[in-house]
Amino acid sequence: MNHKTICLIAAALMVAGCAVTAEQVAAEKEAANSQAALGMMKTSFKTRGQASVDRLNQDETQALCSQYRDNPPKNIREKIEALNQTLTVFPADGKLLGDWKEGEKVAQSGVGKQFSDNPETPAGGNCYACHQLTKAEVSYGNIGPSLYNFGKVRGYAPEIAKYAYGKIYNAEAYSACSNMPRFGHSKILTEQQIKNVVALLMDPESPVNK
Ligand code: HEC
């Protein structure tokens, strides 16, 4: 029931003092506009291959981040991070490190998830689009922090490997409304691919730590 209906009922019952704040009116207008915009996108975008219009449906985390323009207040931020902590699935075999050489290939590849990509071919992580990782690769983006020397600086302790795995699996569990894709949660990378990327960050022999 919206505030107008409530006011009408209140008026009908002769209840005095039905005050509607400007904030409530603005919030209702915003919600109506968002619904209208979503409806417009749903009718104008078309499913093509694996790129389906279902991608427009936001989960609770995405909806909250949209609502607060990626800058939620502390309590909402904590709520998002706590929720996403519960959504992270760590490997059943307890092993977090795979093969760093395979991890480097995942970090280099930006292929996957577009309508023109074969959904059977494993997707890449495109880590270099946002992070520096090795000295050898000079072409990288800087939306994210440099991960060069990640293991060397943080140490090779199991808790750090667990943090790296969890972060790559679901960045929202550590920083609400992060720009980093939720690679495990959104099924972009497989468990083995994430292990390989964790090895890239955490293996002392990896070029990340040389
Ligand atoms: C679209 C950009 C983007 C991509 C792609 C991306 N990241 Fe990130 N990443 C970020 C941003 C931004 C941060 C810092 C904010 C945060 O912590 O969420 C970050 C943070 C991290 C951190 C935490 C760093 C620290 O100092 O604690 C790790 C680890 C990481 N990314 C690994 C990866 C790996 C591995 C990949 C590839 C599988 C990857 N990222 C792909 C944007 C990205």
Side-chain angles (χ1 to χ4, degrees), residues 168-188:
I168 298 162
Y169 189 96
N170 187 356
E172 297 286 337
Y174 303 87
S175 42
C177 309
S178 170
N179 277 328
M180 179 160 149
R182 295 191 276 177
F183 290 103
H185 179 78
S186 304
K187 302 199 165 32
I188 300 165

Side-chain angles (χ1 to χ4, degrees), residues 106-107 125-131 133 143-147 150 154 163-164 167-168 171 174-175 178-181 183 189 197 201:
V106 173
N126 213 12
C127 315
Y128 281 103
C130 300
H131 295 284
L133 285 122
I143 293 174
S146 172
L147 299 173
F150 183 85
R154 301 292 182 97
Y163 163 66
K167 179 77 191 176
I168 298 162
Y174 303 87
S175 42
S178 170
N179 277 328
M180 179 160 149
F183 290 103
L189 298 179
V197 175
L201 296 178

